[in-house]
């Protein structure tokens, strides 16, 4: 449509020519009650419409900003408001040919409201809009603008507000200068805008969760340090649970984030903004649109997704077999030894049922444990393999159980065939005993991580529920397989020693490993909860033992005496349970293993692990040895005593100016859980060596002094010396 120009006569002279439509629009706007409004102040917000420059040039355009100054304690919203809220919008009234772009949104902040989380702004929100002016707009002709803005402002409750703002822009043949009053505001708003799109991001939907994977090699601007904070703001509602934790790690050349799927995860657009908060207080934001699928595996990267399901199943089976040899399983060897020799007079069919019952106990426990683990992770909890022993009540009750079994096996108390069947010593209850033996073996073995097992478990947690359960149950089958083979293969069974009176002596002697396991669990409880937890645990065990002793002394008395003994035993049991559960309310103990010499004889000092400290040391160019451990992991403790807490290792670390960081996972720690996940692991132990300028190297889960020396001295380029 052609422009119509009419002369405007003022004081008898032609001043300028104006587009008739713009003139009529300006006249009508001047009659509006909002025409002179430059700002609107509501109860909680002051809204302004601001131009970056005082005048613009046709064909060039100009930047505008809707500025919302928000009262303290209140907030407005981003384009995706999160769990609740509504994004601001602007309804424009503009002259023909003049157009306004959609709002350009600065990156939001996470605003938590109870169990929910919103994406929005507090203090001040600056919404940038690019105004386009046609090239044939007459220079010198003003441009009248009218914007009706709507926003929702919330604290504990929400109030919808709006305001009508007007602005008249001058035009000239040359672009006007930036208004100094607003230069900092516009510069700050632009710096908060997301940078260009990240390339190659992938969203993996397996395992009941979402894993966002971003290649760093093709996006060098990301530059993520270990001490940074990273958060993904989904641009589409329902893609993720906004309030859930977002564990992240840098593995190889990729950033990976574990996200909890939202209500529309399968259909929502996988896009949003990745915000990196640097240690210096600055923030960087990047637009991100991901493709759905599995990311490729980089060369040399430690990544469980590099496995396939058949390989993971093979690793799980072999890991379960090796688990029988781990120190953490030794306490139940007492029960297993008696189970293998009990019922030798039974036929092959009876022995086979005994083995199948034992296997059923193992598989049932692993199935329940894996279901709980997968459910907790799907709910956003940062938990890993062995999470049950991070609960002080569970540890206290386990100590009570081992005490009772030890006292029974030693003959101090007689608890009847059902409990003693755990040792396989009662033919009539052998199947029940075998089932209980299997469950108990799995219970104690579960926190440990054997070679090959860590990679299999890390892979399992990326699969859907059915496949993950299959991998974990295969691990249990590996644990049960040696005993199952002895009961199913007659040639192996014939190699077992014949039953005889020696079994009673063996049973009593093997009670002491059970009591030792109880003492070990008390030590774990003390590490978790300090002296108060230890006092509760010891008191509970004392009352439980006293109740059992009274029950034992009254077994053959009159009926009234037997009932009194049973009541006292029940009171002891209930009190012990109550005291064990009460440890849940105790604060976590600070008396961990990090921060003190691992061994007073070696002076090997372990600093507490933190992502910030790791980044600081690596920035200095020094080597780092990271040890992720837990008090309840016997494999970890044996490795430390054999390979780390030695004079030779202390001397080696001193020679290399190596910093030794120890992460204590005895109690739950999301930072350590995220670190483990970054290496495809879900449990401890994990040993990682960082040589200066090289990729981190994971050491075997069974350490020897030679392995440590080979990796540390070898990576430094210096010859290893024998000590």
């Amino acid at each position: 449509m052609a422009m119509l120009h009419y002369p405007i006569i003022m004081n008898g002279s032609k001043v300028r020519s104006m587009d008739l439509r713009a003139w009529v629009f300006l006249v009508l706007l001047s009659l509006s009650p909002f025409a002179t409004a430059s700002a609107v102040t509501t109860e909680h917000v002051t809204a302004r419409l601001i131009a970056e420059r005082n005048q613009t040039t046709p064909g060039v355009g100009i930047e505008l900003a809707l500025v919302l100054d928000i009262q303290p304690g209140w907030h407005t919203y981003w384009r995706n408001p999160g769990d609740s809220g509504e994004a601001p919008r602007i309804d424009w009234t503009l002259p023909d040919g003049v157009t306004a772009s959609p709002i350009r949104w600065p990156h939001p902040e996470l605003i938590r409201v109870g169990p929910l989380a919103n994406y929005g702004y507090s203090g001040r929100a600056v919404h940038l809009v690019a105004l386009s002016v046609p090239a044939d707009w007459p220079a010198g002709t003003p441009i009248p603008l009218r914007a009706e803005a709507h926003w929702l402002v919330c604290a504990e409750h929400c109030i919808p507000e709006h305001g009508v703002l007007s602005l008249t822009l001058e035009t000239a043949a040359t672009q006007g200068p930036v208004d100094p009053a607003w230069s900092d505001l516009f510069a700050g708003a632009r710096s908060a805008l997301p940078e260009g799109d990240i390339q190659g991001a992938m969203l993996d939907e397996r395992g009941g969760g979402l894993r966002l994977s971003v290649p760093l090699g093709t996006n060098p601007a990301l530059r993520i340090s270990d001490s940074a904070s990273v958060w993904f703001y989904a641009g589409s509602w329902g893609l993720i649970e906004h309030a859930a934790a977002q564990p992240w790690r840098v593995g190889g050349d990729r950033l990976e984030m574990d996200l909890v799927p939202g209500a529309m995860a399968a259909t929502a657009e996988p896009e949003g903004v990745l915000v990196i908060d640097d240690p210096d207080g600055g923030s960087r934001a990047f637009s991100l649109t991901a493709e759905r699928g599995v990311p490729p595996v980089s060369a040399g990267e430690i990544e469980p997704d590099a496995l396939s399901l058949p390989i993971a199943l093979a690793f799980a089976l072999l890991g379960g077999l090796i688990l029988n040899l781990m120190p953490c399983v030794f306490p139940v060897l007492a029960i297993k030894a008696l189970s293998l020799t009990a019922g030798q007079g039974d036929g092959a069919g009876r022995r086979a049922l005994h083995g199948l019952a034992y296997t059923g106990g193992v598989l049932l426990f692993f199935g329940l444990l894996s279901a709980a683990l997968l459910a907790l992770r799907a709910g956003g909890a940062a938990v890993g393999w062995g999470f049950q022993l991070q609960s002080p009540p569970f540890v206290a009750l386990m100590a009570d159980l081992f005490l009772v079994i030890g006292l029974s096996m030693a003959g101090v108390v007689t608890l009847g065939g059902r409990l003693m069947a755990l040792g396989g010593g009662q033919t009539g209850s052998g199947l029940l005993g075998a089932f209980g033996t299997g469950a108990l073996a799995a219970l104690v073995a579960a926190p440990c991580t054997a070679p090959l097992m860590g990679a299999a478990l890390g892979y399992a947690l990326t699969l859907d529920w059915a496949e993950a359960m299959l991998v974990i149950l295969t691990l249990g089958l590996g644990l049960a397989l040696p005993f199952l083979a002895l009961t199913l293969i007659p040639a192996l069974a014939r190699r077992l020693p014949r039953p005889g009176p020696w079994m009673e002596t063996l049973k009593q002697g093997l009670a002491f490993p059970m009591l030792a396991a109880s003492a070990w669990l008390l030590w774990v409880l003390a590490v978790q909860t300090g002296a108060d937890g230890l006092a509760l645990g010891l008191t509970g065990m004392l009352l439980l033992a006293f109740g059992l002793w009274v029950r034992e002394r009254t077994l053959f008395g009159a009926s009234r005496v037997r009932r009194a003994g049973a009541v006292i035993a029940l009171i002891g049991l209930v009190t012990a349970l109550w005291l064990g559960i009460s440890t849940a309310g105790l604060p976590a103990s600070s008396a961990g293993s990090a921060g003190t010499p691992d061994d007073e004889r070696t002076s090997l000092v372990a600093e507490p692990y933190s992502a910030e400290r790791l980044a600081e040391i690596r920035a200095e160019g020094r080597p780092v040895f990271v040890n992720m451990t837990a008090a309840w992991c016997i494999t970890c403790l044996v490795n430390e005593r054999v390979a780390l807490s030695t004079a030779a290792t202390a001397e080696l670390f001193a020679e290399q100016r190596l910093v030794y960081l120890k992460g204590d996972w005895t109690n739950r720690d999301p930072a350590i859980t995220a670190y483990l996940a970054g290496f495809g692991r879900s449990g401890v132990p994990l040993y990682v060596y960082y040589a200066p300028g090289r990729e981190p190297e994971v050491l075997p889960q069974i350490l020897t002094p030679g392995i440590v020396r080979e990796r540390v001295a070898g990576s430094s380029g210096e010859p290893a010396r024998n000590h």
Side-chain angles (χ1 to χ4, degrees):
M1 180 175 179
M3 290 285 191
L4 300 178
H5 301 283
Y6 291 82
I8 308 299
I9 307 296
M10 300 186 70
N11 296 327
S13 63
K14 182 183 296 185
V15 178
R16 58 179 176 263
S17 178
M18 176 180 279
D19 177 1
L20 177 61
R21 292 167 297 171
W23 171 253
V24 173
F25 180 85
L26 185 61
V27 172
L28 292 175
L29 186 61
S30 68
L31 300 177
S32 168
F34 306 100
T36 60
S38 58
V40 172
T41 300
T42 64
E43 185 177 357
H44 301 291
V45 172
T46 295
R48 289 173 290 170
L49 184 63
I50 299 171
E52 185 176 18
R53 302 172 185 272
N54 293 324
Q55 66 182 34
T56 187
T57 301
V60 176
I62 193 172
E63 192 93 82
L64 306 177
L66 171 65
V67 182
L68 303 179
D69 287 309
I70 310 162
Q71 285 188 358
W74 295 76
H75 61 270
T76 58
Y77 293 93
W78 188 54
R79 58 186 177 94
N80 172 16
D83 287 327
S84 62
E86 182 180 6
R89 74 176 194 274
I90 305 174
D91 296 329
W92 293 97
T93 304
L94 304 171
D96 288 347
V98 178
T99 59
S101 72
I103 292 175
R104 297 162 63 200
W105 302 89
H107 72 77
E109 60 183 282
L110 190 69
I111 303 171
R112 295 194 179 275
V113 183
L116 306 179
N118 298 139
Y119 297 165
Y121 312 98
S122 56
R124 168 176 284 181
V126 181
H127 307 83
L128 297 178
V129 176
L131 189 76
S132 296
V133 181
D136 56 359
W137 185 272
T141 302
I143 303 174
L145 310 175
R146 182 178 184 270
E148 185 172 359
H150 303 261
W151 62 88
L152 185 68
V153 59
C154 297
E156 294 181 356
H157 60 285
C158 295
I159 300 175
E161 296 181 343
H162 77 286
V164 178
L165 305 164
S166 64
L167 184 67
T168 300
L169 299 177
E170 298 295 331
T171 61
T174 58
Q175 190 82 335
V178 173
D179 189 337
W182 308 119
S183 59
D184 289 344
L185 181 144
F186 279 91
R190 288 194 186 96
S191 68
L193 292 175
E195 300 180 25
D197 283 347
I198 293 175
Q199 302 297 315
M202 302 291 293
L203 191 67
D204 183 359
E205 303 173 75
R206 296 177 299 165
L210 295 176
R211 176 177 292 180
L212 179 64
S213 179
V214 181
L216 301 179
T218 56
N219 299 281
L222 289 179
R223 301 188 314 276
I224 302 173
S225 69
D226 291 334
S227 55
S229 174
V230 182
W231 196 267
F232 174 66
Y233 294 90
S236 302
W237 184 90
L239 176 65
I240 64 174
E241 289 290 342
H242 308 101
Q246 297 185 1
W248 65 275
R249 62 266 179 194
V250 174
D253 64 348
R254 289 208 306 270
L255 164 70
E256 292 190 338
M257 305 184 70
D258 292 327
L259 309 173
V260 178
M264 306 294 291
T267 57
E269 181 70 17
E271 58 88 20
V273 173
L274 187 71
V275 177
I276 302 171
D277 293 321
D278 294 315
D280 60 5
S283 294
R284 294 172 288 133
F286 301 87
S287 297
L288 182 153
T289 300
E291 295 185 18
R292 296 181 184 269
V294 181
V297 177
S298 302
E301 183 177 348
I302 304 168
E303 174 57 61
D305 287 341
L307 299 177
S308 63
L309 182 58
I311 294 177
L313 292 173
F315 278 15
L317 186 66
L318 291 174
L321 284 168
I322 299 173
L323 203 56
N324 285 275
L325 305 177
M326 305 301 288
C328 49
V329 187
F330 179 75
V332 296
L333 292 180
I335 299 175
K336 292 176 67 176
L338 291 179
S339 298
L340 292 174
T341 55
Q344 289 297 297
D346 295 335
R350 182 69 178 177
R351 289 196 301 271
L353 289 176
H354 194 84
L356 293 173
Y358 173 85
T359 304
V362 173
L363 295 182
L364 177 63
F365 180 84
F366 271 94
L368 294 175
L369 183 65
S370 60
L373 173 63
L374 295 172
L376 288 171
R377 290 177 64 91
V383 296
W385 193 251
F387 72 95
Q388 71 277 14
L389 282 179
Q390 292 176 327
S391 168
F394 184 88
V395 173
L397 297 179
M398 281 285 294
D400 292 339
L401 176 61
F402 277 97
L403 173 67
V404 172
I405 295 175
L407 293 176
S408 180
M409 294 178 67
V412 177
V413 296
T414 304
L415 299 176
R418 288 186 178 273
L419 183 59
M420 281 308 300
L422 287 173
Q426 302 292 330
T427 304
S429 303
L431 296 183
L432 177 61
F435 184 88
T437 302
L440 194 60
L443 181 70
V444 179
C448 294
T449 305
L452 304 178
M453 174 181 162
L457 287 175
Y459 176 77
L461 296 181
T462 69
L463 304 174
D464 58 38
W465 278 57
E467 292 177 331
M469 291 281 285
L470 179 61
V471 173
I472 296 174
L473 289 176
T474 302
L475 174 67
L477 179 61
L479 177 64
L481 195 56
F483 181 75
L484 181 63
L486 285 170
T487 59
L488 294 181
I489 302 175
L492 294 177
R494 285 194 293 269
R495 294 179 178 272
L496 295 174
R498 299 180 64 83
W502 63 269
M503 290 183 58
E504 182 63 25
T505 302
L506 178 63
K507 183 186 72 172
Q508 294 181 11
L510 290 178
F512 291 98
M514 308 308 298
L515 298 175
S518 182
W520 162 65
L521 289 166
L522 276 178
W523 175 74
V524 173
L525 184 64
V527 172
Q528 291 176 322
T529 61
D532 291 344
L534 180 61
L536 290 177
L538 285 171
T539 303
M541 295 174 73
L542 175 63
L543 295 176
L544 179 59
F546 176 74
L548 293 175
W549 176 77
V550 171
R551 173 62 175 163
E552 181 74 17
R553 300 297 295 174
T554 58
L555 277 177
F556 302 102
S559 59
R560 183 172 56 186
V561 175
R562 290 199 305 271
R563 285 195 298 270
V567 170
I568 293 175
L570 180 61
I571 292 174
L573 174 62
V574 172
T575 306
L577 293 176
W578 176 74
L579 290 173
I581 294 172
S582 298
T583 60
L586 296 176
S589 173
S590 60
S593 55
T596 59
D598 268 23
D599 190 318
E600 297 295 338
R601 298 168 300 174
T602 68
S603 300
L604 178 62
V605 176
E607 295 186 32
Y609 165 81
S610 71
E612 293 79 10
R613 180 59 177 149
L614 176 61
E616 178 184 343
I617 300 167
R618 297 194 70 191
E620 295 173 358
R622 297 179 63 185
V624 188
F625 190 97
V626 176
N627 171 14
M628 291 299 177
T629 183
W632 39 259
C633 174
I634 297 183
T635 306
C636 305
L637 303 179
V638 171
N639 282 339
E640 290 179 20
R641 178 60 61 181
V642 170
L644 297 177
S645 297
T646 66
T649 299
E651 181 181 347
L652 172 65
F653 284 10
E655 289 175 354
Q656 304 295 332
R657 296 183 62 249
L658 182 147
V659 180
Y660 180 33
L661 299 183
K662 181 183 288 188
D664 190 348
W665 208 42
T666 303
N667 294 312
R668 291 184 184 178
D669 188 328
I672 295 179
T673 304
Y675 183 90
L676 294 170
F679 290 91
R681 299 293 174 84
S682 62
V684 291
L686 175 66
Y687 308 103
V688 184
Y689 175 62
Y690 294 82
R694 302 187 186 181
E695 290 294 315
E697 182 180 6
V698 176
L699 277 67
Q701 290 168 312
I702 304 298
L703 288 184
T704 65
I707 291 175
V708 175
R709 170 156 291 279
E710 177 185 356
R711 299 300 175 89
V712 173
S715 296
S716 68
E718 299 179 3
R721 294 177 297 173
N722 294 325
H723 287 263

